[in-house]
Amino acid sequence: MFSGIVAACGRIERIEPLADGLRLTVDTGTLDLADVQIGDSIANSGVCLTVIARDGQRVNFDVSRETLNCTVGLDQQGGEVNLEKALTLADRLGGHLVTGHVDGVGEVRKFEPVGESHELVIRAPGSIAGYIARKGSVTVNGVSLTVNRVEGADFSINLIPHTVAVTNLKHLKAGSKVNLEIDLIARYVERMLAWREEEAKVAR
């Protein structure tokens, strides 16, 4: 589990093809790796990946073809990735509960400065748009954010200068694709409501 609070920005230095996926070498930059072991999880722009090797600040991850097919940004050599280590039970939950399992890829419709901040408007895929609610939480490229406005499949977020400065969201523009993860609570609420409906049908 993660919190959506990005700890550092890394860069994909090398990509090696595998039989069914890719092996990434990521320069983790300023990320504190003192407690990171082989087998630990690190979120890369919202995607939970397992550490398979480490050399100083360079970490290797294997990415399956299935993961590549439902995410963006992990197949771009030189690309910047938002990094966050998995939570421990003693960590402060500054964002919201994030699984690192991307639910869909959204498209940026607008990314423009508004005063000192930026307005980010994203169109969500129809399959997950219904889970995104005003004042609710959503994860964009691994960053926990609060939704300000929802219109159909489009939702708007206000990004403060700090968030823009310390994440790869600074590189966004209209047409950019982003990894989206919906709020975990919304997913369970839908399942509970659907199950009640199924049970009611059986009872009838």
Side-chain angles (χ1 to χ4, degrees):
M1 297 294 291
F2 306 90
S3 69
I5 303 300
V6 172
C9 272
R11 192 168 300 279
I12 300 174
E13 282 195 343
R14 185 179 180 186
I15 297 178
E16 303 172 63
L18 301 175
D20 189 29
L22 298 173
R23 176 163 295 169
L24 308 183
T25 300
V26 177
D27 181 349
T28 59
T30 60
L31 187 67
D32 181 9
L33 299 179
D35 59 347
V36 172
Q37 306 293 325
I38 305 304
D40 285 353
S41 297
I42 296 178
N44 286 248
S45 288
V47 185
C48 177
L49 298 177
T50 300
V51 176
I52 63 164
R54 178 187 161 197
D55 180 13
Q57 288 299 116
R58 288 171 175 78
V59 176
N60 293 112
F61 305 96
D62 284 350
V63 188
S64 70
R65 178 53 53 188
E66 181 178 354
T67 297
L68 292 168
N69 288 342
C70 64
T71 63
V72 293
L74 298 180
D75 58 354
Q76 300 172 9
Q77 188 162 327
E80 196 171 56
V81 286
N82 295 322
L83 300 174
E84 182 191 352
K85 296 185 294 185
L87 293 171
T88 71
L89 291 178
D91 285 333
R92 182 175 295 170
L93 186 62
H96 71 284
L97 289 175
V98 176
T99 65
H101 301 153
V102 172
D103 292 299
V105 174
E107 180 180 350
V108 174
R109 308 295 290 176
K110 178 182 178 183
F111 183 60
E112 296 179 358
V114 178
E116 294 181 350
S117 300
H118 278 74
E119 181 186 16
L120 173 62
V121 179
I122 297 172
R123 176 159 295 172
S127 59
I128 65 171
Y131 295 94
I132 299 171
R134 181 177 178 271
K135 299 305 178 184
S137 297
V138 66
T139 308
V140 179
N141 280 357
V143 185
S144 172
L145 298 168
T146 300
V147 177
N148 285 343
R149 178 174 50 85
V150 178
E151 291 184 6
D154 292 355
F155 63 96
S156 175
I157 294 167
N158 180 71
L159 297 179
I160 63 173
H162 175 76
T163 302
V164 175
V166 302
T167 70
N168 67 7
L169 301 183
K170 67 174 76 69
H171 304 303
L172 296 180
K173 58 185 178 181
S176 295
K177 298 294 194 296
V178 290
N179 294 320
L180 300 177
E181 182 183 332
I182 58 174
D183 190 351
L184 188 63
I185 296 173
R187 191 179 299 154
Y188 281 112
V189 168
E190 185 203 40
R191 174 56 182 159
M192 287 188 293
L193 291 175
W195 179 251
R196 286 182 181 178
E197 187 175 334
E198 291 173 21
E199 289 286 276
K201 289 179 180 178
V202 171
R204 289 197 293 266

